[in-house]
């Protein structure tokens, strides 16, 4: 076999804990049914590391998926054995399902489109081939981005189409890079391929295309930057829009620099609506952000970011984000902020500028654990974005700046509205300067040491913190919990929600039994 080788409401001034100049807004590039010839059913699998025993044998061929055929590109040799390589089409123009097949990996050779852009408003009768396409990926499937490809390898789910990538705790879906298949990825490897981009029709606040009319958000669209040709757009006026469902998914070694100098994140979400499900997702070693939310109404639970080299979570462009059970662990001396929040001061487009861009970014996060390891601020509030943080734990080394920094920005005459409830801040070196955080409202925001185990699992302090903020008062999306932090300490640590579907690394181990430098093999 041969290796495959193809080329408290606080004004901005109150919490100005550290000054920094304004920065440019980060960028993301900064239907007939298909019949699948599935193999015979296999028993319910359990992920078991094989330790390089090479037990995998390549499937006899690629599944037949009808309209958009897979290309059989031979085999690729891995420490786990040999896999059949099935290359995805450049555009899915009809519904398709990528099944789990033992001995098969799916290859992205450059940009892969799910559907074509169907515009800012839904029109099921427009007759355009390739709109309203659903790509389903079955549990256990492994997809990888080819390296050395001009423009990079990445997947874009265009407006009107959906990605239905629903893995399970026992059989997660893995998006990764060719080097990971070959077994050559290292603990500090990143930027091998682009990532996954999901675009929708929910409102955005940083207009690029179309005239500006804040009473009609369909006139405000953004584009995915960093792409030279056939640039995708996102945004609209459908807050409940659905771009699909992503559950129990790992995205490894992403962040490829695209044509115009911008980088993709592990997961880029542009204008996705509240109808989109994002739950149990792990980003591992992204050279840019772990996940970036550009506008929209994202509703997200159980998101793990490990080793992101820019921000772990980046929220901007008018996003109305609800996020619960958020865990970020930075690599030592690598990465920027764990959370960056921003909102543009004005809308610009068609030669017109309107101050006070709407919607104004609102980030609401409950039950989070941020383990910072860089020299930057853990949380940076910029522009005119609003933040509510509840039931959270922040650890920050003494070499860093501040737990929470409002850089003093005022956009369009507005100051950021920052609210903090029930935070445990392990930023002892900054305690005197950070008094404003602790005293900004009546809630408990304690400067102390954590009792976190292995950088993420709650200890006694986190499980018995008082008071606990009832996050359901923010939205019915949130759960009420009896603890702070992202990961409760259950009767046994093997019951933690992070265990089983994630991958382990030298940065942090969840006890899942599969290394981020290896692939699971199912019995």
């Amino acid at each position: 076999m041969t290796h495959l080788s193809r080329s408290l409401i606080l004004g901005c001034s109150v919490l100005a804990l550290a000054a920094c100049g304004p920065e440019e807004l980060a960028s993301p590039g900064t239907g007939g049914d298909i019949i699948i010839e599935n193999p015979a059913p296999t028993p319910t699998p359990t992920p078991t590391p094989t330790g390089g025993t090479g037990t995998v044998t390549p499937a006899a061929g690629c599944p037949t998926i009808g309209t958009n055929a897979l290309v059989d590109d031979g085999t690729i040799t891995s420490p786990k054995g040999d896999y059949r390589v099935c290359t995805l089409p450049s555009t899915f123009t009809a519904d398709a399902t990528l099944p789990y097949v033992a001995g098969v990996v799916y290859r992205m050779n450059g940009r892969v489109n799910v559907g074509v852009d169907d515009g800012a408003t839904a029109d099921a009768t427009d007759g355009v081939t390739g709109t309203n396409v659903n790509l389903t990926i079955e549990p256990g499937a492994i997809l990888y981005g080819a390296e050395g490809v001009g423009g990079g390898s990445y997947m874009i789910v265009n407006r009107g189409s959906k990605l239905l990538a629903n893995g399970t705790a026992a059989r997660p879906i893995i998006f990764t890079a060719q080097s990971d298949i070959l077994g050559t990825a290292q603990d500090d490897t990143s930027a091998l391929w682009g990532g996954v981009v999901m675009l929708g029709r929910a409102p955005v606040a940083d207009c690029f295309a179309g005239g500006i009319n804040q009473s009609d958000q369909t006139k405000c669209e953004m584009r995915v930057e960093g792409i030279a040709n056939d640039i995708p757009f996102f945004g609209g006026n459908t807050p409940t829009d659905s771009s699909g469902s992503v559950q129990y998914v790992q995205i490894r070694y992403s962040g490829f620099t695209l044509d115009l100098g911008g980088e993709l994140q592990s997961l880029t979400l542009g204008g996705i609506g509240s109808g989109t499900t994002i739950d149990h997702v792990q980003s591992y070693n992204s050279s840019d952000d772990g996940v970036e939310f550009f506008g929209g109404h994202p509703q997200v639970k159980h998101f793990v970011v490990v080793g992101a080299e820019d921000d772990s979570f980046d929220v901007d462009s008018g996003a109305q984000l609800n996020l619960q059970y958020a865990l970020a662990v930075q690599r030592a001396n690598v990465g920027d902020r764990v959370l960056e929040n921003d909102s543009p001061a004005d809308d610009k487009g068609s030669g017109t500028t309107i101050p006070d861009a709407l919607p104004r970014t609102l980030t609401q996060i409950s039950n989070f654990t941020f383990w910072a390891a860089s020299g930057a601020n853990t949380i940076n509030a910029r522009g005119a974005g609003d933040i509510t943080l509840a039931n959270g734990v922040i650890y920050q080394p003494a070499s860093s700046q501040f737990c929470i920094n409002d850089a003093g920005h005022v956009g369009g005459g507005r100051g950021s509205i920052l609210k903090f409830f029930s935070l445990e801040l392990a930023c002892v070196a900054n305690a005197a300067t950070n008094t404003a955080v602790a005293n900004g409202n009546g809630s408990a925001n304690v400067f102390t040491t954590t009792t976190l185990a292995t950088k993420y699992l709650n200890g006694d302090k986190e499980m018995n913190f008082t008071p606990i903020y009832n996050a359901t008062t923010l939205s019915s999306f949130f759960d009420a919990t009896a603890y702070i932090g992202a990961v409760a300490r259950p009767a046994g640590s093997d019951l933690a929600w992070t265990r089983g579907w994630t991958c382990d690394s030298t940065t942090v181990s969840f006890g899942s039994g599969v290394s981020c430098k290896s692939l699971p093999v199912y019995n």
Side-chain angles (χ1 to χ4, degrees):
M1 301 297 178
T2 60
H3 287 205
L4 179 73
S5 177
R6 290 180 187 254
S7 309
L8 71 175
I9 301 179
L10 303 179
C12 281
S13 59
V14 174
L15 196 60
L17 302 182
C20 68
E23 301 176 36
E24 293 300 319
L25 184 68
S27 68
T30 60
D33 294 335
I34 306 282
I35 298 175
I36 306 296
E37 296 180 359
N38 288 318
T42 56
T44 301
T46 300
T48 55
T50 62
T53 57
T55 59
V56 175
T57 58
C62 296
T64 300
I65 62 173
T67 303
N68 303 124
L70 300 172
V71 176
D72 187 335
D73 270 318
T75 62
I76 186 170
T77 298
S78 162
K80 298 297 184 181
D82 296 320
Y83 292 90
R84 176 70 54 191
V85 176
C86 301
T87 299
L88 305 183
S90 60
T91 300
F92 285 93
T93 59
D95 291 355
T97 297
L98 301 179
Y100 168 77
V101 179
V104 163
V105 287
Y106 297 101
R107 176 176 179 248
M108 294 169 279
N109 187 34
R111 173 173 165 179
V112 173
N113 291 282
V114 178
V116 297
D117 186 18
D118 199 25
T121 58
D123 184 1
T125 62
D126 61 12
V128 176
T129 301
T131 58
N132 307 309
V133 169
N134 295 330
L135 175 61
T136 300
I137 304 175
E138 291 188 348
I142 298 173
L143 297 84
Y144 76 89
E147 298 166 28
V149 176
S153 296
Y154 54 100
M155 178 177 286
I156 291 184
V157 183
N158 288 291
R159 285 184 297 189
S161 294
K162 296 179 181 179
L163 175 62
L164 304 171
N166 294 315
T168 65
R171 189 187 274 193
I173 294 166
I174 298 175
F175 288 86
T176 190
Q178 181 172 314
S179 292
D180 194 19
I181 307 296
L182 296 173
T184 59
Q186 301 300 314
D187 291 329
D188 59 353
T189 298
S190 66
L192 297 180
W193 68 292
V196 179
V197 181
M198 299 176 69
L199 307 178
R201 297 188 175 109
V204 299
D206 197 18
C207 304
F208 175 86
I212 298 174
N213 182 346
Q214 292 184 337
S215 64
D216 182 3
Q217 285 295 138
T218 63
K219 304 299 184 184
C220 182
E221 299 176 274
M222 294 181 66
R223 68 175 184 174
V224 181
E225 298 178 4
I227 299 175
N229 300 310
D230 190 20
I231 301 172
F233 286 86
F234 58 91
N237 198 26
T238 309
T240 58
D241 190 43
S242 174
S243 298
S245 178
V246 176
Q247 300 186 80
Y248 292 103
V249 167
Q250 298 174 23
I251 307 176
R252 306 179 181 180
Y253 306 110
S254 63
F256 189 87
T257 300
L258 298 176
D259 290 342
L260 302 183
E263 289 181 329
L264 292 175
Q265 289 64 239
S266 285
L267 182 61
T268 299
L269 301 175
I272 69 162
S274 60
T276 306
T277 298
I278 306 292
D279 195 0
H280 288 89
V281 176
Q282 180 185 15
S283 162
Y284 177 70
N285 277 17
S286 170
S287 69
D288 201 60
D289 303 328
V291 57
E292 185 157 10
F293 305 92
F294 291 89
H297 283 242
Q299 311 283 295
V300 180
K301 284 185 176 176
H302 304 103
F303 206 110
V304 178
V305 180
V306 177
E309 295 175 4
D310 192 18
D311 306 317
S312 300
F313 299 92
D314 197 341
V315 191
D316 47 50
S317 304
Q320 308 294 289
L321 170 65
N322 287 332
L323 171 59
Q324 190 168 25
Y325 312 116
L327 172 62
V329 181
Q330 292 186 323
R331 302 205 312 263
N333 302 313
V334 175
D336 197 5
R337 295 107 181 193
V338 174
L339 170 64
E340 180 167 284
N341 195 78
D342 200 0
S343 196
D346 49 49
D347 283 323
K348 298 175 181 177
S350 302
T352 303
T353 298
I354 298 178
D356 294 346
L358 298 176
R360 174 177 175 144
T361 299
L362 172 61
T363 297
Q364 299 188 129
I365 306 177
S366 182
N367 294 99
F368 63 90
T369 298
F370 293 164
W371 185 277
S374 72
N377 304 307
T378 300
I379 296 174
N380 217 42
R382 299 174 50 220
D386 303 333
I387 305 177
T388 297
L389 300 175
N391 301 328
V393 179
I394 297 175
Y395 164 80
Q396 184 170 270
S399 60
S400 296
Q401 297 176 33
F402 302 107
C403 267
I404 303 170
N405 170 41
D406 173 2
H409 293 297
V410 176
R414 308 166 304 174
S416 297
I417 300 175
L418 310 178
K419 302 179 183 180
F420 308 120
F421 304 101
S422 302
L423 305 184
E424 180 184 77
L425 307 176
C427 311
V428 178
N430 308 138
T433 310
N434 280 282
T435 302
V437 178
N439 297 333
N441 59 29
S443 189
N445 301 288
V446 179
F447 289 91
T448 181
T449 56
T450 76
T451 56
L452 295 174
T454 60
K455 302 180 183 178
Y456 73 94
L457 188 65
N458 277 1
D460 289 343
K461 285 186 179 179
E462 293 76 35
M463 296 304 296
N464 298 296
F465 195 89
T466 302
I468 300 298
Y469 181 74
N470 183 359
T472 64
T473 61
L474 300 176
S475 165
S476 60
F477 167 80
F478 291 96
D479 304 324
T481 63
Y483 57 89
I484 65 171
V487 187
R489 185 187 64 204
S493 60
D494 59 329
L495 301 179
W497 63 261
T498 48
R499 188 174 178 126
W501 62 276
T502 51
C503 64
D504 298 330
S505 66
T506 56
T507 302
V508 60
S509 176
F510 302 108
S512 295
V514 175
S515 168
C516 295
K517 297 187 291 184
S518 183
L519 301 174
V521 176
Y522 302 113
N523 295 328

